[in-house]
Amino acid sequence: MPATPPQSHEDAQREFALTLSGFSATDKPEYEDYSRCVHCGLCSNNCPTYRLWGREADSPRGRIRQMALVDQGRLEIGDTFVTHIDRCLNCRNCESVCPSGVEYGKILELARAQIEQKYKRPFTSRVLRDFIYRRLLPYPKRIAAAARTLRFYQRWGLASLARNTGILRLLGLQDRESLLPKIDSNFFFSELGKTFPAQGRQRARVAFFAGCVAQVTFSELNRATIRVLQANGCEVVVTAEQVCCGALAAHAGVRDVARNLARANFSAFHADDFDAIITNAAGCGSTLKEYSQLFTENEADLESACKFSAKVRDISEFLADLGLVAPLRPLPMRVTYQDSCHLVHGQKIREAPRKLIRAVPSVELVEMALSDLCCGSAGVYNVMEPKAALDLLSDKMHHAQQTKAQAILTANPGCILQLRAGAAIHKTGQEVLHVIELLDRALIKS
Amino acid sequence: MDSHAINDLKKLLGADAVLHRPEELLLYEYDGSVEVARPNCVVFPRHTKEVVGIVQIANRYQIPMIGRGAGTGLSGGALARQGGVLVVFSRMNRILEIDVENQCAVVQPGVVNADLSVAVAQTGLHFAPDPSSQKASTIGGNVSENSGGPHTLAYGVTTNHVHSLEAVLPTGELVRLGSPALDSPGYDLPGLFVGSEGTLALVTEITVKLTRLPETVKTLLAIFDTVDDATETVVDITARGITPAACEMLDGWTIRAVEAYVHAGFPVDCAAVLLLEVDGLREAAEQHAEEVADVCRLHHAREVRVARDARERDLLWKGRKNAFGAVGRLSPTYYVQDGVIPRTKLPQTLRRINEIGEKYGFEIGNIFHAGDGNLHPIILFDAREEKQFQRAVASADEIIGFCIEMGGSITGEHGVGMEKDRLMPLLFTEDDMNLMRRVRDAYNPVGLLNPGKIFPDTKGCGEIHVRPLPVAGASRA
Ligand SMILES: Cc1cc2nc3c(=O)[nH]c(=O)nc-3n(C[C@H](O)[C@H](O)[C@H](O)COP(=O)(O)OP(=O)(O)OC[C@H]3O[C@@H](n4cnc5c(N)ncnc54)[C@H](O)[C@@H]3O)c2cc1C
Ligand code: SF4
Ligand code: SF4
């Protein structure tokens, strides 16, 4: 096939390496990216899974090495590789500490894309993943339908029935009722297509990204976000045709689905018409900001991706920059803040949420130890790897409790669910709120 | 390795604490250095008793054993050069006792250096040894390598902060070395074991000294247009009898790499910066800071900045502590050398390193603990080219050769390990080394513990060992 032999020693080596590689040609971790890891090991103690098990294979350095080994043909994409790559939380704490600038999140998603292409998972896992990533999340109507069913069970106390009839067992959720979100009575889908005017002088015009599952479980948070934006002089447009951001699919290596969702969002949001596209979910935000990673350089989509991502702002990032103007009433309470991984490590936003919290009169912010270590939520991790997720959660609740805070604040719906479950399991009696919910509570409403 | 041995280990530790499949072992063939050597088996003890059991099994089957902390070592110390069982201390990571009144703590060896300081921060104490790897490296590793850091200049190295040790000798005997007081009667055995690079015993518990945080810390950044001005400043500061708590130098090339990562406001067009710190009681610290700044200006510092608050100080240090890694942004593979020279010889040594870089065609950055003459030249090369790798080693050897010529040494803090054993004869006679071997043999008679380290194994000179090409993504750090 190749007509011309390699032209230099270097080319020859490269070609040799390529023939041996266990990766397929597309959507794979690239040498230029993973070789930035100089295996110094400085990241290991910041990695939640390394802290749990102390094993190199479950450390960032070890995971990157396993990718390199596959690329060199020294390790196959088999059970071992898949186990350790699956167990990664994709919390990206390693990225924050890595002095060499390894873009771990990017190469992890590509490694998972290779697993999708090259590894056959056991039957139930295949069915479950196919259902979640390909058949459910991309379709708002199906999310609504599933949510209505679940709500029916929750309303009528039939959760145990569901468990016994095996529905929850199929989803691997039999012991996880505490983690199941409470389904809202009033879905957010009804707000799609609406525009909410700014209060007072208009300072910005923004589009609101409403999320997928959040529309059936966090409708109130979404409404609170819009209220806070309005009160601070923003006109808020809830774009009609928007779909799931594709973060969960991208994290799982299901890149074709993620790409299609991204494209749908490019056309749903006319980025030029807005000062910003706002999300209140850190997990969505980091994917929305990194859409360009889904498209290789020559694809026309890359341009749309860059244009779109340039406008994406996390709600706390946006408000902290814009400055709060709405008057706030004092809320005498002691709170602590749990950094959402995809805000602090994914988007490198540490100060903005704290600034907003401090802006509320009489709120006392007490930092907990290791606030930027993952709580174990990590997208669907708490469903896929329940034991590890609960171990991380119990450490987290311990640190949160030591602050004697009445409320734990955070910046992502997934974290809220996990921390609420934690507060219930460990009976800490702490309330769990999104930073924006705190601001909303403090708004002086007419 | 004997499958009976593996079964015995599993029986002792549980299956979850024993790794032996090839794909698992592949992840223990490296550490922070570029050396490569694979163990036959990896075990994770949780308490001292289990360590004793492991050593007994290793003796029964006559297999080598090697301790490992976080694997950040830079000389291949934690690699199984002759195969065997790698004893990883990552799960022995509990702080057993903190005694604020007596300013000490008892820790298991797998406790991460920075975690101890965080745990006692509320009490105004800290664990003073501060290797740049402190947020990952273990106290067991620090003890074995006698690690130092930027603050070594004023606070000393690890050995100055260890009261006593509990250790398992390679024969399986459990011993306690030293006493709770820092100066104990009799031989200074902790002093012998600290820095022995894991060749005398497996350390299972460490009683460390905690140090009060200074009342005031002043951090200064002095910016120079020539390297010579910076190095002469260092010589002058010490000549005046001022001992800064830290005195670090980065050359212009390294600063540009670091600045791209930390955005600490390092000037990217200068030739060198000195990062200086003085601490102590408020008045003394302030006065010293001024004196230091004056000396810098005397040697034509373009600018002297003083960190205004803790945040600015942390930012400056972040740049220094992440300097090696930041270099990874410029080149996938680099080789950090570790040499020592008398600090009065700094100017000519730096000039010589520059020439060596030109001769071999490599970019060489320089970061070092200037206060104690400990150099870390960083040589950038491309590991995919075998010849480059050999040339990088050759240029590094030439640098080390020059350090010795200047009256210095082959390693300041990264240890000899399996990286520099072949250089030992440059510094020591065969008689000197035999004396040290006799000490090793007293504790490690059969050589089962960490064999093939520190001393060149074949007697006489001229041993050539050809190392395998590092795998892609590997570095010689
Ligand atoms: C980016 C970077 C910066 C660094 N900066 C510095 C620095 O400023 N100063 C400095 O001194 N070093 C530095 N180092 C080197 C290294 O971090 C230190 O040597 C550190 O002390 C090693 O600790 P570790 O836990 O990683 O030990 P490992 O690398 O796992 O092991 C080191 C040695 O200790 C032995 N060992 C470990 N635990 C035990 C035990 N419990 N019992 C017996 N033997 C044991 C091993 O056998 C091995 O010989 C740096 C390394 C990196 C990657
Ligand atoms: S800190 Fe970065 S370079 Fe170092 S081992 Fe981790 S990922 Fe690799
Ligand atoms: S993303 Fe999180 S869990 Fe995964 S390797 Fe990095 S630090 Fe560890």
Side-chain angles (χ1 to χ4, degrees), chain A residues 46-49 58-60 63 88-94 104:
Chain A
N46 277 58
C47 171
T49 57
D58 293 309
S59 79
R63 291 191 172 110
C88 170
L89 296 148
N90 196 5
C91 68
R92 297 168 66 173
N93 199 326
C94 46
Y104 180 84

Side-chain angles (χ1 to χ4, degrees), chain B residues 32-97:
Chain B
S33 76
V34 77
E35 306 295 337
V36 177
R38 206 177 313 162
N40 301 97
C41 172
V42 180
V43 294
F44 300 88
R46 286 195 178 270
H47 354 263
T48 303
K49 252 201 216 145
E50 291 186 341
V51 179
V52 174
I54 293 164
V55 174
Q56 284 165 348
I57 293 171
N59 272 283
R60 195 175 320 141
Y61 294 93
Q62 288 294 297
I63 5 178
M65 53 207 149
I66 308 92
R68 181 174 169 112
T72 67
L74 291 172
S75 55
L79 301 182
R81 191 173 204 174
Q82 298 174 10
V85 45
L86 194 67
V87 186
V88 181
F89 287 96
S90 59
R91 294 182 187 171
M92 277 179 72
N93 61 351
R94 279 180 306 131
I95 298 174
L96 301 172
E97 193 186 323

